[in-house]
Amino acid sequence: MKTIVVIPALDEEDNIAGVVHDLLGEQTEGRVHTVIVVDNGSADDTAARAESAGAVVAHEPRRGYGHACMAGSLAAIELGAEIIVYIDADHSSRPSEMSSLVDPIVNDTAGLVLGSRVLGTISRGAMAPHQRFGNWMSAKLMNRLYGLTLTDLGPYRSIRVDVFTTLGMEEMTFGWPTEMTVKCAHRDVKILEVPVSWDPRRSGTSKVSGTVKGSILAARHILGVTIRHARKERRPR
Ligand SMILES: Nc1nc2c(ncn2[C@@H]2O[C@H](COP(=O)(O)OP(=O)(O)OP(=O)(O)O)[C@@H](O)[C@H]2O)c(=O)[nH]1
Ligand SMILES: [Mg+2]
C-alpha cells in the first residue's frame, strides 16, 4: 500500500534532514513512498533542508500541530496515499521502527496503529515526569470513557486513508492526536498499540512538553477533547 509520512515541523532545521534521510533510506526497507514535511511558518531553514533531503515540502501558515498534520494529510491524499504515518521532526521516534506502524495496516489487522512508548523503551532523559504522568492520565481517561486499553497517546502513528477521510478532523492544535483516536473508537475502527522507542530530541527547542505553557495547553486540549467527544453519540461505522 502506498505509504506517505507526514512530519509537522516548526523550527527544526538541525533535525529535519536526518529524519527525512532515514525515512527514505534503507532503515524503512522500502515501505515509505514519500515524505511530506509541513513547515508551519518556521523562522529557520527547516523547509530548504527538508527539500534538499528529498522531502516534499508543504507550507501551512496557520500555527498549530493539528493544522500542520491536516495540511500534510491533505497533501498525502492528493498524492494517492493509502496509509499516512505521522512522526515528529526532532528524531524522538525511530524511522527504523516503521514496520511496526505500517505492517498491521497492510495485513488488515488495524485501521489505526499507535506507537506506545510505555510498551516500548523510553531513553534516559527523553520524557519528563510531568509528561509521563500526563500521558498516563490521558490514556486512563480515554480507556474509561471509550472502552479502550491504551497506554500512551502515540505521536508516532499510522492510519488507513479510507478511515482518515471519515473522521472530519477539527482539532487544529494539540488535540489532534486525541481527536483521531477517540473518533476511531466511536467508529469501531480497530486500534492497535505497538511498542516503539522514544529518544530525547536531537537538537533545537521543545514547543510542547519541555515548556510550562506548552504542557498546560496540551493537557487542556487533550483532556477537553477526550471529554467532549465522549458525550457525542457514537456514529455508525
Ligand atoms: N507544525 C507545527 N509543528 C509543531 C508545532 N509545535 C510543535 N510542532 C512539531 O511537533 C512535534 C512535537 O513538538 P516538540 O516540540 O518536539 O514537543 P515534545 O516532543 O513534547 O517536546 P520535546 O520532548 O522537547 O521534544 C515536532 O515535530 C515539532 O516541530 C506547531 O505549532 N506547528
Ligand atoms: Mg519532541
Side-chain angles (χ1 to χ4, degrees):
M1 293 174 78
K2 188 168 182 176
T3 300
I4 296 188
V5 179
V6 168
I7 313 181
L10 177 61
D11 294 333
E12 301 281 6
E13 67 179 0
D14 291 328
N15 297 314
I16 196 66
V19 180
V20 172
H21 177 268
D22 288 354
L23 285 166
L24 292 173
E26 57 195 33
Q27 287 188 17
T28 56
E29 299 170 321
R31 286 182 177 80
V32 175
H33 184 278
T34 304
V35 175
I36 298 175
V37 172
V38 185
D39 178 30
N40 211 198
S42 299
D44 67 7
D45 215 19
T46 296
R49 293 196 189 178
E51 198 165 6
S52 307
V56 171
V57 175
H59 296 274
E60 172 52 79
R62 287 168 295 181
R63 275 286 163 88
Y65 178 86
H67 272 304
C69 286
M70 186 53 136
S73 304
L74 295 177
I77 293 167
E78 188 91 348
L79 292 175
E82 295 168 283
I83 299 173
I84 301 174
V85 181
Y86 303 91
I87 189 169
D88 285 355
D90 58 0
H91 241 136
S92 281
S93 293
R94 299 185 187 171
S96 60
E97 294 175 343
M98 184 62 61
S99 61
S100 305
L101 278 291
V102 168
D103 294 1
I105 296 188
V106 173
N107 301 332
D108 205 20
T109 46
L112 174 69
V113 183
L114 306 177
S116 166
R117 301 162 289 188
V118 175
L119 296 179
T121 314
I122 301 172
S123 302
R124 184 189 289 259
M127 202 185 280
H130 72 271
Q131 195 185 358
R132 283 178 202 255
F133 175 73
N135 290 346
W136 173 82
M137 200 171 67
S138 309
K140 273 257 175 270
L141 186 66
M142 250 189 267
N143 293 343
R144 168 71 68 95
L145 295 178
Y146 298 86
L148 300 170
T149 54
L150 302 179
T151 60
D152 194 7
L153 296 175
Y156 192 17
R157 57 173 55 204
S158 66
I159 189 164
R160 224 173 52 219
V161 165
D162 61 3
V163 170
F164 176 83
T165 53
T166 68
L167 298 182
M169 294 292 291
E170 293 165 344
E171 291 293 325
M172 291 301 141
T173 58
F174 301 104
W176 165 278
T178 309
E179 182 190 14
M180 181 179 283
T181 303
V182 301
K183 283 187 164 175
C184 282
H186 266 177
R187 285 160 176 75
D188 290 332
V189 172
K190 178 91 170 52
I191 303 172
L192 179 70
E193 268 194 333
V194 296
V196 294
S197 310
W198 187 249
D199 299 316
R201 65 161 41 248
R202 285 248 173 119
S203 80
T205 48
S206 170
K207 290 106 210 165
V208 189
S209 60
T211 70
V212 174
K213 185 178 166 209
S215 301
I216 291 171
L217 280 174
R220 209 181 74 190
H221 278 86
I222 290 163
L223 299 177
V225 172
T226 306
I227 292 164
R228 244 186 357 265
H229 283 272
R231 296 207 192 101
K232 293 187 182 168
E233 276 190 61
R234 289 170 72 89
R235 302 221 188 126
R237 246 193 273 195

